[in-house]
Amino acid sequence: KVFLEIDESSLGPKATFANAQGANGQSTVKMELGSSKTKAIESNDLTLELPGAVERYDDQRSASGTPDGNFTTISDALSPADDDDFISVGAGEYREFDSTVSVSDNNVTIVGENQPTINVSSADPAIDVTGSEVEIQNLEIDAGDDANGIDVGKALTDFTIRDSVVRITDSTDSARGIASDTPLIVENIEFFGADRTNEGVAIKTTNQADDLSLTDSSFEELDVAMQLTAVDNATIANNEY
């Protein structure tokens, strides 16, 4: 039998571990978390997958040089973020629990490594964008029941999402993959609903949202791919439904 002990006082994005045989013949795995990335811990009867580090690079639009902070959740990385920050998300699953991932600063870029998953179990959107010129790349976004995947606020400029997956579970015709009131650039996104009997909508604009670009994306198990209101200058090409 395997027991797992976690030193919660030193939680961080990296880990070291030791496998020791107890006096009663049981195997104990002790994990003390430090500062470097660990993808998985394996024991005779246990494989523990760990998310990689979330790193924040201040005032730059790429992951170059030494990060200015290391975090265990995306929300924590964004809490002290400023305009023009770059957030690098290591591979793995990030359970943000009841907390929406809020992006309130401008010119923030969030890029995943090997398409990490953001899993939010609340009825609020998985990601709430209230900053301008925000870009998301290479993430899988799993929304909670009847919750939007991404909300993009009013009076903002250009929200971009590329090379990602958005999953919604909708039983009340209320969930949207992306609900936006601002110009969108959506490129190479896979949208999934729970099943085709649901009335989930992959993309919905509710007010003036000029300059919509939707390309190279796919829609599965959704009744409606798009609900567009007051959209000018739309480019919609090379999509599958």
Side-chain angles (χ1 to χ4, degrees), residues 11-212:
L11 287 176
K14 293 187 180 183
T16 60
F17 71 98
N19 188 358
Q21 190 74 21
N24 57 2
Q26 294 176 326
S27 177
T28 299
V29 177
K30 184 176 182 180
M31 182 174 63
E32 296 179 352
L33 300 184
S35 61
S36 59
K37 294 181 181 178
T38 296
K39 301 304 181 186
I41 292 174
E42 295 185 2
S43 182
N44 291 337
D45 303 307
L46 171 70
T47 299
L48 176 62
E49 297 289 342
L50 297 176
V54 182
E55 299 172 336
R56 190 185 72 242
Y57 297 80
D58 295 345
D59 299 321
Q60 56 190 59
R61 300 304 296 269
S62 64
S64 60
T66 302
D68 297 279
N70 292 281
F71 306 88
T72 55
T73 69
I74 300 166
S75 293
D76 286 346
L78 289 166
S79 293
D82 295 315
D83 291 353
D84 304 311
D85 282 357
F86 184 96
I87 309 296
S88 175
V89 183
E93 182 174 2
Y94 294 81
R95 293 187 175 273
E96 305 284 332
F97 300 102
D98 294 330
S99 174
T100 293
V101 176
S102 296
V103 188
S104 58
D105 294 292
N106 300 322
N107 300 311
V108 171
T109 303
I110 305 173
V111 178
E113 173 188 334
N114 296 326
Q115 205 163 74
T117 300
I118 298 176
N119 192 314
V120 176
S121 58
S122 73
D124 296 319
I127 299 178
D128 184 34
V129 179
T130 56
S132 294
E133 301 287 347
V134 170
E135 182 166 340
I136 291 174
Q137 299 178 27
N138 200 33
L139 295 179
E140 179 173 327
I141 299 159
D142 290 358
D145 289 347
D146 302 323
N148 291 344
I150 303 172
D151 274 1
V152 185
K154 298 178 181 179
L156 305 178
T157 59
D158 289 353
F159 169 73
T160 300
I161 181 169
R162 292 188 170 96
D163 305 323
S164 297
V165 174
V166 179
R167 298 181 186 275
I168 60 173
T169 303
D170 178 34
S171 58
T172 62
D173 190 24
S174 62
R176 311 288 181 250
I178 300 174
S180 177
D181 295 319
T182 195
L184 292 173
I185 299 173
V186 180
E187 181 180 300
N188 191 30
I189 306 301
E190 296 178 83
F191 292 94
F192 293 95
D195 58 67
R196 193 169 287 276
T197 61
N198 291 339
E199 297 181 358
V201 179
I203 300 173
K204 183 174 182 178
T205 63
T206 54
N207 287 302
Q208 189 76 26
D210 295 341
D211 301 317
L212 168 71

